[in-house]
Amino acid sequence: MAASLLLDYPDEDRLGTYLTATSAALTGPQAPPAALAALIGEFVATARAWGARRLAEHYVETFDRRRRCCLYLTYYTVGDTRHRGAALLAFKQALAAAGYEMAADELPDYLPVVLELSARSGDEVADVLLSSHREGIEVLRAALVDAGSPYAGLVEAVSATLPRIDEATAERVRALVAAGPPTETVGVTDTLPFPSLPVHNPLPTLPRPVTLQEAR
C-alpha cells in the first residue's frame, strides 16, 4: 500500500498525509522487513526534503516523458499498438474477477491501482497481474535507477516482494530494455502476452489509491 500511495502523482493536498501514514507504517509489529522499510523510508525522506512542487515536476519529467518509465503495465507488453485495447480489457476483467471495478478516471493497468488491489484484497488476481508483467516492472526499476530517481527505491521494494526472476525472464528484460516497448505489430490477434481471467460479481469500487471501497 505504501508503494501504491507514493507512486501516484504527488498531489500537494495529499502528499503530506501519505508521507506521514507511510512513516508510521514502517515501524511496529506490522512493519515490512527492514530492507524494504529502508527503501521506502529513503523515498519518504527525499520527498520531504524536495517538497511537493519539486517532486511533482520530477514525477512528470520521469513518468510522462520517458518511454521506459511508464506506470501503465500493458505499455511494456503491447506498447501503443492496436492490442492495447484488448490488454486493458483483460485488466478490467481481472479486476472484476477479484470483485472490483474502477471508479476513478484512471486506466486499470496503472501500477498503483494494481498495488492497491494487492494490498486491500489479498486476492491472487493481483499476484497474477504483477507476476505476468514482471518484465515491465523490471524495466521500470532499471530505468528509474539509471535516471537517478528517488522513485527507484519504491519499485525496487515492490520487485523484492515478487518471485525471483529466472534466466528466461531476465533475458526478456534485457531485450525490452534494449528495444523499448512495442510500437506496432502487423495484423490483429486475440492472444495477449499475459493471462486473462474470468469475470465474477459482485463489483465493489476501485478508485484511485487509498480510496478503495468494498461494496456493502
Side-chain angles (χ1 to χ4, degrees):
M1 181 57 79
S4 173
L5 294 175
L6 301 179
L7 282 170
D8 195 22
Y9 179 79
D11 182 88
E12 188 171 1
D13 293 335
R14 298 180 295 173
L15 181 61
T17 300
Y18 287 179
L19 295 177
T20 299
T22 299
S23 294
L26 296 181
T27 59
Q30 294 186 325
L36 302 187
L39 290 169
I40 298 169
E42 184 176 350
F43 175 85
V44 170
T46 299
R48 283 176 169 160
W50 283 15
R53 177 173 296 183
R54 179 181 174 188
L55 191 64
E57 290 174 352
H58 174 78
Y59 188 97
V60 170
E61 178 63 31
T62 301
F63 295 115
D64 293 354
R65 299 177 182 174
R66 295 174 183 260
R67 292 185 67 223
R68 290 172 175 81
C69 294
C70 182
L71 289 173
Y72 296 92
L73 294 178
T74 63
Y75 183 69
Y76 296 98
T77 53
V78 296
D80 284 327
T81 71
R82 68 193 71 187
H83 300 286
R84 188 80 187 278
L88 292 173
L89 177 60
F91 259 77
K92 184 177 180 180
Q93 291 174 334
L95 293 180
Y100 293 89
E101 64 181 1
M102 296 298 301
D105 186 18
E106 189 54 85
L107 296 176
D109 64 335
Y110 186 48
L111 179 56
V113 166
V114 181
L115 294 175
E116 183 186 6
L117 176 68
S118 177
R120 288 190 177 273
S121 71
D123 196 290
E124 65 178 2
V125 169
D127 294 336
V128 170
L129 292 175
L130 291 170
S131 62
S132 62
H133 290 79
R134 185 62 184 275
E135 292 93 338
I137 292 172
E138 287 304 306
V139 170
L140 172 62
R141 183 196 61 78
L144 291 172
V145 169
D146 289 344
S149 172
Y151 285 98
L154 296 178
V155 179
E156 184 176 346
V158 170
S159 181
T161 69
L162 301 175
R164 292 178 64 88
I165 296 178
D166 58 24
E167 183 54 38
T169 302
E171 180 58 35
R172 291 195 296 272
V173 170
R174 288 191 286 268
L176 190 53
V177 168
T183 54
E184 187 52 276
T185 54
V186 178
V188 178
T189 175
D190 294 330
T191 302
L192 292 172
F194 56 87
S196 58
L197 297 168
V199 176
H200 299 290
N201 287 317
L203 300 178
T205 300
L206 183 64
R208 294 184 69 98
V210 90
T211 55
L212 179 63
Q213 300 174 351
E214 295 186 15
R216 293 292 186 259

